[in-house]
Amino acid sequence: MSSLKNLHRHFIDRPFAIVAIDLQEKSSTVKDFVRDNGLTYMNLLDEEGKVAALYGVNSTPVKFLIDTEGNMVGAALGFKKWDSDGVKALIEALMEPGK
């Protein structure tokens, strides 16, 4: 989670957002996790798994890159180092006008 927090901080003043969606957990469990880990990006709860079904998620963690027009431009399964220079460069490129 710390790499997502770092990535969020890196792009805090840019047109970029991290939205975490927790699947089929108790609301109190998610709230406690967000608080205990000092998460600064938006965290939502998909109690019934409807969002997961829409995106075809059948294992976690999974991350999607969605552009400003709502198009999925990338996906990754498993744990990654989200604050790496390569990921930041990819996101920068995707934020360029006309991309």
Side-chain angles (χ1 to χ4, degrees):
M1 286 295 161
S2 65
S3 71
L4 284 175
K5 287 189 333 187
N6 292 337
L7 185 66
H8 180 249
R9 272 190 230 112
H10 180 80
F11 287 106
I12 195 76
D13 294 324
R14 305 285 305 276
F16 175 80
I18 293 175
V19 179
I21 302 175
D22 201 301
L23 302 177
Q24 301 173 318
E25 295 279 356
K26 291 181 186 177
S27 178
S28 60
T29 301
V30 175
K31 287 178 183 177
D32 290 346
F33 183 83
V34 169
R35 183 195 64 235
D36 294 347
N37 289 281
L39 302 183
T40 56
Y41 47 86
M42 185 182 304
N43 285 266
L44 306 175
L45 177 56
D46 182 14
E47 290 181 276
E48 298 175 16
K50 291 179 181 180
V51 174
L54 285 171
Y55 280 89
V57 173
N58 50 27
S59 66
T60 59
V62 61
K63 307 293 188 285
F64 297 104
L65 288 174
I66 300 172
D67 69 13
T68 57
E69 296 180 16
N71 301 306
M72 187 185 329
V73 295
L77 293 173
F79 292 95
K80 307 278 185 233
K81 186 166 171 50
W82 292 103
D83 55 351
S84 71
D85 291 340
V87 170
K88 290 175 185 174
L90 172 62
I91 293 169
E92 290 280 352
L94 290 170
M95 285 193 283
E96 290 178 16
K99 298 286 178 191

